[in-house]
Amino acid sequence: MKLFFPASFLILCTVLISCTNSPKIIDDLSDKSFEVLNQNGESVTFPDDYEGKYVVAGFIYTNCPDICPLVTQNLIKVQKEFNNPDDIQFLGITFDPKRDTPEVLKNYKGLFNLDDNFDFLTADSTTISELMDSVRVRSDVSFTQVRDDDKEVYFMNHSDKIMVLDKKGRVIFEYGGSMTPVNYIVEDIQSVRR
Amino acid sequence: MKKLVVFFLSLFILINCGKSSEKNSSETSVDQETQNWARPGSQGQMSGAYFVYENTLDVSDTLISVDSPQAMMTQIHESYTTEDGLAGMREKKEIIVHSDESLILKQGGLHVMLMNLKEDLSENDSVEVTLEFTEAGTVKFKLPVKSNK
Ligand SMILES: [Cu+2]
């Protein structure tokens, strides 16, 4: 019985520690700078230009009409849940820069009815592959298809991912992009947002 | 007395901790998923379309082709996860639909892949899709274009 007090105190401490919200840093991008373009063709330095905001980013290519829109829709749902906040930036980043030019991304953005805190980013192929490597997003051409008009079109296998950066450009959460229930993401952000 | 306070405090925190990490999934309802619809898209780009087809015949049927006048090329695709965990899609050439069963095309599963759209698809437009079954023959769908699904 004498052990009861120290034991419960110990339990209390453990519980308190596991309850505090200091998420693990998954990837630190704060020392990286990628020169990219948004859907308006404006240059953006990622992640530097978003420092001071949380960033919720999904990885997509626009020639993907099934899985990738689910990723985009998840980002939109998170934005809605937070009521379009100013301190959270939403990004769709393409891993298919060859086809996803700013103009194509602008059209793509237009399909979803989005505001200013939602950008789509592309860059030259080298920058995109460096960016994707730094967040461990993989993509490969899976197959090409010769269309009825004799033009070739290719499709890609790719990581299905949404990630959250803190205000210092560090990746603190990541998820399966298309299948994760939105409230997981919302709760995680709520737990660290201040 | 002190012991008791600490004990109940621990208990309280434990309960609360459990609560905050509890995840309620908010999956879309079956009804929403199974609606017939097509995704908006720009000319020259891709779109996906979804429908439910019930095989009311008393024999098994096979979907052997799909076509749409609004795209240069149309196929049935399946989204799947590759062996090394990547998201991909592949063509499904033939799909068997047993008697009294439904063929369900929905996001993240099977979709009609509309490639190189001949014109923009916007909300309030519709997409015509013609399916060819070995038993039922030609089946046509008119799928409304909807955004923000
Ligand atoms: Cu497809």
Side-chain angles (χ1 to χ4, degrees):
Chain A
M1 197 55 195
K2 263 188 180 171
L3 271 171
F4 182 72
F5 179 73
S8 45
F9 184 71
L10 210 65
I11 291 170
L12 177 64
C13 286
T14 323
V15 169
L16 271 174
I17 288 163
S18 61
C19 259
T20 54
N21 297 309
S22 47
K24 267 194 231 139
I25 309 290
I26 300 168
D27 286 303
D28 190 351
L29 306 182
S30 61
D31 56 344
K32 302 225 163 75
S33 296
F34 301 99
E35 295 303 321
V36 299
L37 294 170
N38 69 14
Q39 70 284 347
N40 300 318
E42 296 157 347
S43 24
V44 172
T45 309
F46 176 84
D48 312 42
D49 286 359
Y50 301 111
E51 246 163 58
K53 283 181 172 188
Y54 292 98
V55 171
V56 187
F59 299 91
I60 55 138
Y61 74 112
T62 65
N63 277 278
C64 163
D66 189 53
I67 288 292
C68 300
L70 282 171
V71 175
T72 309
Q73 282 156 0
N74 266 348
L75 297 176
I76 296 169
K77 284 181 195 162
V78 173
Q79 192 180 33
K80 279 199 181 136
E81 282 291 317
F82 280 106
N83 225 335
N84 297 44
D86 286 333
D87 64 332
I88 309 178
Q89 174 71 44
F90 294 84
L91 298 176
I93 309 177
T94 182
F95 42 79
D96 185 18
K98 210 171 131 192
R99 290 182 294 192
D100 288 341
T101 59
E103 200 192 349
V104 168
L105 293 176
K106 190 175 186 160
N107 277 331
Y108 187 76
K109 181 177 173 177
L111 300 175
F112 290 98
N113 210 354
L114 302 167
D115 72 4
D116 284 348
N117 276 329
F118 208 124
D119 279 338
F120 289 90
L121 303 180
T122 186
D124 61 81
S125 300
T126 316
T127 305
I128 287 296
S129 49
E130 283 168 9
L131 200 168
M132 294 302 158
D133 283 350
S134 72
V135 292
R136 289 167 293 106
V137 167
R138 292 181 294 147
S139 61
D140 306 300
V141 170
S142 58
F143 66 100
T144 51
Q145 180 82 55
V146 179
R147 283 189 324 220
D148 300 349
D149 58 345
D150 273 348
K151 283 203 182 131
E152 225 180 50
V153 59
Y154 62 89
F155 299 101
M156 301 174 95
N157 290 338
H158 56 92
S159 303
D160 178 15
K161 182 156 149 176
I162 286 177
M163 65 178 188
V164 177
L165 308 192
D166 67 8
K167 292 182 174 181
K168 292 177 180 155
R170 300 175 302 189
V171 181
I172 49 171
F173 301 116
E174 48 181 29
Y175 313 88
S178 64
M179 296 306 171
T180 304
V182 174
N183 58 321
Y184 284 30
I185 305 172
V186 171
E187 281 170 23
D188 281 344
I189 296 172
Q190 269 166 349
S191 75
V192 294
R193 190 178 178 215
R194 56 180 73 103
Chain B
M1 186 57 197
K2 239 184 192 171
K3 294 169 194 173
L4 222 65
V5 169
V6 173
F7 176 75
F8 279 111
L9 203 61
S10 324
L11 207 68
F12 176 74
I13 290 169
L14 267 174
I15 288 164
N16 264 314
C17 224
K19 254 185 201 160
S20 67
S21 61
E22 188 184 289
K23 315 258 179 182
N24 310 302
S25 96
S26 62
E27 285 301 308
T28 43
S29 69
V30 174
D31 186 47
Q32 235 179 324
E33 285 177 343
T34 54
Q35 274 176 351
N36 296 352
W37 66 288
R39 192 182 293 291
S42 315
Q43 189 194 358
Q45 297 285 310
M46 317 270 169
S47 177
Y50 306 89
F51 64 80
V52 177
Y53 170 78
E54 199 192 338
N55 179 12
T56 53
L57 305 176
D58 48 16
V59 288
S60 267
D61 208 347
T62 307
L63 174 64
I64 46 169
S65 84
V66 58
D67 198 16
S68 169
Q70 281 140 294
M72 291 292 239
M73 192 171 196
T74 310
Q75 293 175 340
I76 300 284
H77 278 191
E78 174 188 41
S79 291
Y80 75 111
T81 305
T82 64
E83 272 173 24
D84 50 352
L86 299 180
M89 58 184 175
R90 58 191 167 196
E91 189 186 0
K92 287 282 267 188
K93 291 223 188 252
E94 289 188 352
I95 301 174
I96 295 167
V97 192
H98 295 293
S99 177
D100 284 330
E101 284 185 8
S102 290
L103 171 61
I104 300 170
L105 277 73
K106 63 172 187 182
Q107 282 195 91
L110 295 167
H111 53 277
V112 178
M113 183 81 177
L114 301 156
M115 289 177 260
N116 198 10
L117 296 171
K118 292 180 183 170
E119 55 207 57
D120 287 358
L121 290 180
S122 321
E123 207 141 355
N124 300 324
D125 292 341
S126 58
V127 174
E128 271 177 55
V129 171
T130 306
L131 308 171
E132 212 61 51
F133 288 92
T134 49
E135 299 299 322
T138 305
V139 174
K140 287 189 190 242
F141 271 100
K142 201 168 184 181
L143 308 167
V145 176
K146 290 180 186 173
S147 57
N148 294 326
K149 280 290 290 189

